[in-house]
Short mmCIF file of all heavy atoms in Angstrom, two decimals:
data_model
loop_
_atom_site.label_atom_id
_atom_site.label_comp_id
_atom_site.label_asym_id
_atom_site.label_seq_id
_atom_site.Cartn_x
_atom_site.Cartn_y
_atom_site.Cartn_z
N THR T 1 0.84 -1.21 0.02
CA THR T 1 0.00 -0.02 0.04
C THR T 1 0.81 1.22 -0.04
O THR T 1 0.43 2.23 -0.49
CB THR T 1 -0.91 0.03 1.27
OG1 THR T 1 -0.24 0.02 2.39
CG2 THR T 1 -2.02 -1.01 1.12
N GLU T 2 1.99 1.16 0.50
CA GLU T 2 2.87 2.41 0.61
C GLU T 2 3.65 2.59 -0.72
O GLU T 2 4.31 3.67 -0.86
CB GLU T 2 3.83 2.42 1.87
CG GLU T 2 2.93 2.53 3.10
CD GLU T 2 3.81 2.53 4.34
OE1 GLU T 2 4.99 2.77 4.33
OE2 GLU T 2 3.19 2.37 5.54
N ASN T 3 3.71 1.63 -1.54
CA ASN T 3 4.50 1.75 -2.75
C ASN T 3 3.64 1.69 -4.02
O ASN T 3 4.08 1.72 -5.12
CB ASN T 3 5.62 0.64 -2.81
CG ASN T 3 6.60 0.95 -1.75
OD1 ASN T 3 7.30 1.93 -1.93
ND2 ASN T 3 6.74 0.15 -0.71
N MET T 4 2.28 1.76 -3.86
CA MET T 4 1.43 1.71 -5.04
C MET T 4 1.00 3.13 -5.42
O MET T 4 1.11 3.97 -4.54
CB MET T 4 0.29 0.78 -4.89
CG MET T 4 -0.65 1.25 -3.66
SD MET T 4 -1.82 -0.09 -3.18
CE MET T 4 -2.76 -0.42 -4.72
N LEU T 5 0.68 3.26 -6.62
CA LEU T 5 0.29 4.60 -7.15
C LEU T 5 -1.02 5.03 -6.58
O LEU T 5 -1.38 6.21 -6.44
CB LEU T 5 0.32 4.51 -8.66
CG LEU T 5 1.63 4.40 -9.26
CD1 LEU T 5 1.60 4.31 -10.85
CD2 LEU T 5 2.71 5.45 -8.93
N ASP T 6 -1.96 4.01 -6.38
CA ASP T 6 -3.30 4.38 -5.87
C ASP T 6 -3.20 4.70 -4.34
O ASP T 6 -2.24 4.31 -3.59
CB ASP T 6 -4.17 3.17 -5.87
CG ASP T 6 -4.62 2.89 -7.37
OD1 ASP T 6 -4.35 3.82 -8.24
OD2 ASP T 6 -5.23 1.94 -7.54
N MET T 7 -4.14 5.53 -3.84
CA MET T 7 -4.19 5.89 -2.44
C MET T 7 -5.20 4.73 -1.98
O MET T 7 -6.26 4.52 -2.45
CB MET T 7 -4.82 7.14 -2.23
CG MET T 7 -3.87 8.29 -2.67
SD MET T 7 -4.55 9.99 -2.16
CE MET T 7 -5.71 10.19 -3.36
N VAL T 8 -4.79 4.23 -0.83
CA VAL T 8 -5.67 3.20 -0.17
C VAL T 8 -5.91 3.56 1.25
O VAL T 8 -4.98 4.07 1.97
CB VAL T 8 -4.82 1.82 -0.13
CG1 VAL T 8 -5.73 0.71 0.57
CG2 VAL T 8 -4.49 1.35 -1.57
N ALA T 9 -7.17 3.44 1.65
CA ALA T 9 -7.60 3.78 3.01
C ALA T 9 -8.69 2.72 3.48
O ALA T 9 -9.31 2.12 2.68
CB ALA T 9 -8.23 5.21 3.05
N LEU T 10 -8.73 2.54 4.79
CA LEU T 10 -9.70 1.70 5.43
C LEU T 10 -10.45 2.64 6.44
O LEU T 10 -9.77 3.30 7.18
CB LEU T 10 -8.96 0.60 6.10
CG LEU T 10 -9.85 -0.52 6.61
CD1 LEU T 10 -10.48 -1.33 5.42
CD2 LEU T 10 -8.89 -1.50 7.48
N THR T 11 -11.73 2.40 6.44
CA THR T 11 -12.55 3.18 7.38
C THR T 11 -13.39 2.21 8.23
O THR T 11 -13.77 1.09 7.76
CB THR T 11 -13.48 4.21 6.74
OG1 THR T 11 -14.56 3.62 5.98
CG2 THR T 11 -12.66 5.14 5.90
N ASP T 12 -14.06 2.64 9.34
CA ASP T 12 -15.15 1.94 9.93
C ASP T 12 -16.40 2.22 9.06
O ASP T 12 -16.40 2.87 8.02
CB ASP T 12 -15.39 2.30 11.39
CG ASP T 12 -15.67 3.85 11.61
OD1 ASP T 12 -16.12 4.51 10.59
OD2 ASP T 12 -15.43 4.33 12.69
N MET T 13 -17.54 1.65 9.48
CA MET T 13 -18.84 1.77 8.79
C MET T 13 -19.33 3.19 8.71
O MET T 13 -20.23 3.49 7.92
CB MET T 13 -19.79 0.70 9.22
CG MET T 13 -19.39 -0.70 8.93
SD MET T 13 -19.02 -1.03 7.19
CE MET T 13 -20.59 -0.92 6.46
N GLU T 14 -18.80 4.02 9.55
CA GLU T 14 -19.31 5.40 9.58
C GLU T 14 -18.39 6.37 8.81
O GLU T 14 -18.63 7.51 8.74
CB GLU T 14 -19.35 6.01 11.06
CG GLU T 14 -20.37 5.34 11.86
CD GLU T 14 -20.16 3.95 12.31
OE1 GLU T 14 -19.07 3.65 12.68
OE2 GLU T 14 -21.07 3.19 12.34
N GLY T 15 -17.37 5.80 8.17
CA GLY T 15 -16.39 6.53 7.28
C GLY T 15 -15.21 7.30 8.06
O GLY T 15 -14.60 8.06 7.54
N ASN T 16 -14.87 6.78 9.28
CA ASN T 16 -13.80 7.25 10.08
C ASN T 16 -12.60 6.43 9.69
O ASN T 16 -12.63 5.21 9.75
CB ASN T 16 -14.13 7.17 11.62
CG ASN T 16 -15.17 8.01 12.00
OD1 ASN T 16 -15.30 9.18 11.58
ND2 ASN T 16 -16.14 7.26 12.64
N PHE T 17 -11.44 7.08 9.32
CA PHE T 17 -10.31 6.47 8.91
C PHE T 17 -9.71 5.69 10.02
O PHE T 17 -9.56 6.18 11.17
CB PHE T 17 -9.16 7.52 8.45
CG PHE T 17 -9.35 8.19 7.16
CD1 PHE T 17 -9.76 9.46 7.11
CD2 PHE T 17 -9.19 7.42 5.96
CE1 PHE T 17 -10.04 10.02 5.84
CE2 PHE T 17 -9.30 8.00 4.68
CZ PHE T 17 -9.80 9.37 4.62
N THR T 18 -9.37 4.29 9.71
CA THR T 18 -8.66 3.43 10.61
C THR T 18 -7.24 3.17 9.99
O THR T 18 -6.39 2.66 10.73
CB THR T 18 -9.48 2.20 10.91
OG1 THR T 18 -9.68 1.55 9.68
CG2 THR T 18 -10.81 2.47 11.59
N TYR T 19 -7.17 3.39 8.76
CA TYR T 19 -5.91 3.15 8.02
C TYR T 19 -5.85 4.06 6.82
O TYR T 19 -6.82 4.26 6.17
CB TYR T 19 -5.67 1.67 7.56
CG TYR T 19 -4.41 1.55 6.66
CD1 TYR T 19 -3.29 1.26 7.24
CD2 TYR T 19 -4.51 1.55 5.36
CE1 TYR T 19 -2.10 1.05 6.53
CE2 TYR T 19 -3.50 1.42 4.56
CZ TYR T 19 -2.26 1.19 5.13
OH TYR T 19 -1.11 0.94 4.40
N ALA T 20 -4.70 4.69 6.65
CA ALA T 20 -4.58 5.52 5.43
C ALA T 20 -3.08 5.43 5.00
O ALA T 20 -2.23 5.72 5.70
CB ALA T 20 -4.91 7.07 5.85
N GLY T 21 -2.96 4.68 3.85
CA GLY T 21 -1.57 4.46 3.34
C GLY T 21 -0.78 5.66 3.17
O GLY T 21 -1.35 6.85 3.10
N LYS T 22 0.49 5.43 2.95
CA LYS T 22 1.37 6.55 2.77
C LYS T 22 1.03 7.44 1.53
O LYS T 22 1.38 8.63 1.48
CB LYS T 22 2.84 6.01 2.62
CG LYS T 22 3.96 7.00 2.54
CD LYS T 22 5.23 6.30 2.40
CE LYS T 22 6.36 7.41 2.35
NZ LYS T 22 7.66 6.83 2.32
N ALA T 23 0.42 6.72 0.59
CA ALA T 23 0.01 7.52 -0.73
C ALA T 23 -0.93 8.72 -0.42
O ALA T 23 -0.92 9.68 -1.18
CB ALA T 23 -0.73 6.55 -1.64
N HIS T 24 -1.55 8.76 0.76
CA HIS T 24 -2.29 9.98 1.14
C HIS T 24 -1.51 11.23 1.32
O HIS T 24 -2.09 12.27 1.43
CB HIS T 24 -3.17 9.70 2.40
CG HIS T 24 -4.42 8.94 1.96
ND1 HIS T 24 -4.45 7.63 1.75
CD2 HIS T 24 -5.66 9.41 1.78
CE1 HIS T 24 -5.65 7.25 1.43
NE2 HIS T 24 -6.42 8.29 1.40
N GLU T 25 -0.19 11.00 1.36
CA GLU T 25 0.68 12.20 1.45
C GLU T 25 0.60 13.01 0.18
O GLU T 25 0.95 14.08 0.17
CB GLU T 25 2.17 11.81 1.73
CG GLU T 25 2.24 11.14 3.14
CD GLU T 25 3.62 10.59 3.49
OE1 GLU T 25 4.60 11.05 2.85
OE2 GLU T 25 3.76 9.89 4.37
N ILE T 26 0.04 12.38 -0.84
CA ILE T 26 -0.21 13.07 -2.12
C ILE T 26 -1.09 14.33 -1.92
O ILE T 26 -0.86 15.30 -2.52
CB ILE T 26 -0.91 12.14 -3.24
CG1 ILE T 26 0.10 11.08 -3.64
CG2 ILE T 26 -1.41 12.98 -4.44
CD1 ILE T 26 -0.56 9.91 -4.47
N LEU T 27 -1.94 14.07 -0.89
CA LEU T 27 -2.83 15.20 -0.60
C LEU T 27 -2.16 16.23 0.24
O LEU T 27 -2.75 17.24 0.70
CB LEU T 27 -4.08 14.64 0.17
CG LEU T 27 -4.91 13.67 -0.66
CD1 LEU T 27 -5.98 13.03 0.26
CD2 LEU T 27 -5.58 14.35 -1.75
N GLY T 28 -0.97 16.06 0.68
CA GLY T 28 -0.13 16.94 1.53
C GLY T 28 -0.21 16.69 3.02
O GLY T 28 0.31 17.55 3.78
N TYR T 29 -0.96 15.65 3.47
CA TYR T 29 -1.04 15.41 4.90
C TYR T 29 0.11 14.58 5.48
O TYR T 29 0.67 13.83 4.73
CB TYR T 29 -2.42 14.73 5.16
CG TYR T 29 -3.63 15.57 4.81
CD1 TYR T 29 -4.42 15.12 3.67
CD2 TYR T 29 -3.98 16.72 5.42
CE1 TYR T 29 -5.56 15.92 3.28
CE2 TYR T 29 -5.02 17.39 5.13
CZ TYR T 29 -5.85 17.05 4.02
OH TYR T 29 -6.83 17.87 3.61
N LYS T 30 0.41 15.03 6.69
CA LYS T 30 1.50 14.19 7.34
C LYS T 30 1.00 12.78 7.63
O LYS T 30 -0.17 12.52 7.80
CB LYS T 30 1.84 14.87 8.63
CG LYS T 30 2.49 16.28 8.50
CD LYS T 30 2.93 16.84 9.79
CE LYS T 30 3.69 17.99 9.78
NZ LYS T 30 3.63 19.07 8.87
N PRO T 31 2.00 11.79 7.79
CA PRO T 31 1.55 10.45 8.09
C PRO T 31 0.80 10.40 9.37
O PRO T 31 1.07 11.06 10.38
CB PRO T 31 3.01 9.70 8.31
CG PRO T 31 3.81 10.50 7.47
CD PRO T 31 3.43 11.96 7.62
N GLY T 32 -0.33 9.62 9.31
CA GLY T 32 -1.21 9.40 10.46
C GLY T 32 -2.21 10.54 10.68
O GLY T 32 -3.24 10.43 11.52
#
C-alpha cells in the first residue's frame, strides 16, 4: 500500500479512517 500509485484507505462503517496508506501524502497530509 505504501508503494502503489493508488491511495488506499480503510474506514469503519461510519467513514472514520482506521488506516490511510502513505500515498495519502499526495494530498499533503502528514503520516497518520
Side-chain angles (χ1 to χ4, degrees):
T1 58
E2 292 183 17
N3 290 291
M4 61 192 305
L5 297 177
D6 287 352
M7 291 186 285
V8 177
L10 191 65
T11 71
D12 59 19
M13 294 304 293
E14 289 76 41
N16 300 307
F17 286 105
T18 58
Y19 173 84
K22 185 176 180 180
H24 277 79
E25 293 175 23
I26 293 168
L27 300 169
Y29 297 109
K30 290 183 170 48

